[in-house]
Amino acid sequence: MPDLSIAFVDLTGSVSVFETLGNDLATQTITRLTQWVGSKAVENGGQVVKMLGDGVLMSFADNNKAVSTMVQIQQEHAVRSRQLPDLVKLQVQIGVARGPVVVVDGDCFGDAVNLASRLSDLAGPEQILVSDTVIRGLGSRAGARFRSLGPIRIKGKADPCEVFRIEW
């Protein structure tokens, strides 16, 4: 069972985009954005596990690349979306966790997958929340800045988990 960094990228603002653009154009917009997110993972040595509507589940063997890719996604998306009107602006919220993962037919299962999803749900727009295992796995050359948010109760977990916000 490999240790992997699992990243879940979720788009926020979809409801407004659908109301403003209509189903067809909104679906095209969201699909283009999720495909772009997936391409960033692949360019940086990760794998797209699956697309989930307005979300992307990715895995990385290299923890540092997982974090740097999520920072890159936030930074580049912020630049890309500056010229868009607020009603069609999609923002990105990201959760990343690291741990043993079971891979079956290209899909991933395990605590790290569940935790990454929960952290993405907890993240605000334009935030990257990561587990303590991600922070412990960063090498000294990672260059990532982060801040502890302290122990947080995560739905489905018996004990609180220390959560960190990556400052990008």
Side-chain angles (χ1 to χ4, degrees):
M1 203 174 344
D3 268 12
L4 297 174
S5 293
I6 302 296
F8 190 77
V9 175
D10 192 28
L11 307 180
T12 63
S14 299
V15 172
S16 174
V17 171
F18 273 95
E19 287 177 349
T20 303
L21 299 179
N23 289 340
D24 290 338
L25 193 52
T27 299
Q28 291 172 22
T29 301
I30 289 168
T31 300
R32 270 195 310 272
L33 182 51
T34 56
Q35 288 174 343
W36 173 79
V37 166
S39 74
K40 290 297 167 188
V42 172
E43 285 173 17
N44 290 289
Q47 294 184 332
V48 174
V49 176
K50 58 185 161 186
M51 301 286 193
L52 302 158
D54 63 356
V56 184
L57 180 65
M58 298 162 280
S59 66
F60 291 81
D62 185 313
N63 189 57
N64 287 5
K65 285 189 178 183
V67 172
S68 65
T69 301
M70 297 309 110
V71 168
Q72 179 185 11
I73 287 169
Q74 287 288 25
Q75 290 173 338
E76 289 182 14
H77 181 66
V79 170
R80 290 165 49 116
S81 64
R82 276 192 194 125
Q83 62 267 14
L84 297 174
D86 286 343
L87 288 175
V88 295
K89 194 174 286 191
L90 291 160
Q91 293 178 307
V92 178
Q93 57 191 56
I94 300 174
V96 185
R98 184 163 183 86
V101 174
V102 176
V103 179
V104 177
D105 294 330
D107 205 350
C108 292
F109 302 90
D111 188 53
V113 178
N114 297 330
L115 185 54
S117 175
R118 298 288 190 215
L119 291 172
S120 174
D121 289 343
L122 289 173
E126 301 182 339
Q127 287 187 340
I128 305 168
L129 297 185
V130 303
S131 66
D132 58 341
T133 54
V134 170
I135 296 301
R136 284 196 308 267
L138 289 174
S140 60
R141 298 182 319 245
R145 294 179 329 199
F146 51 86
R147 177 190 320 215
S148 174
L149 302 179
I152 295 179
R153 289 221 170 265
I154 305 290
K155 182 179 172 184
K157 304 276 293 168
D159 297 318
C161 299
E162 187 170 13
V163 175
F164 293 81
R165 185 175 62 223
I166 300 294
E167 305 292 341
W168 56 270

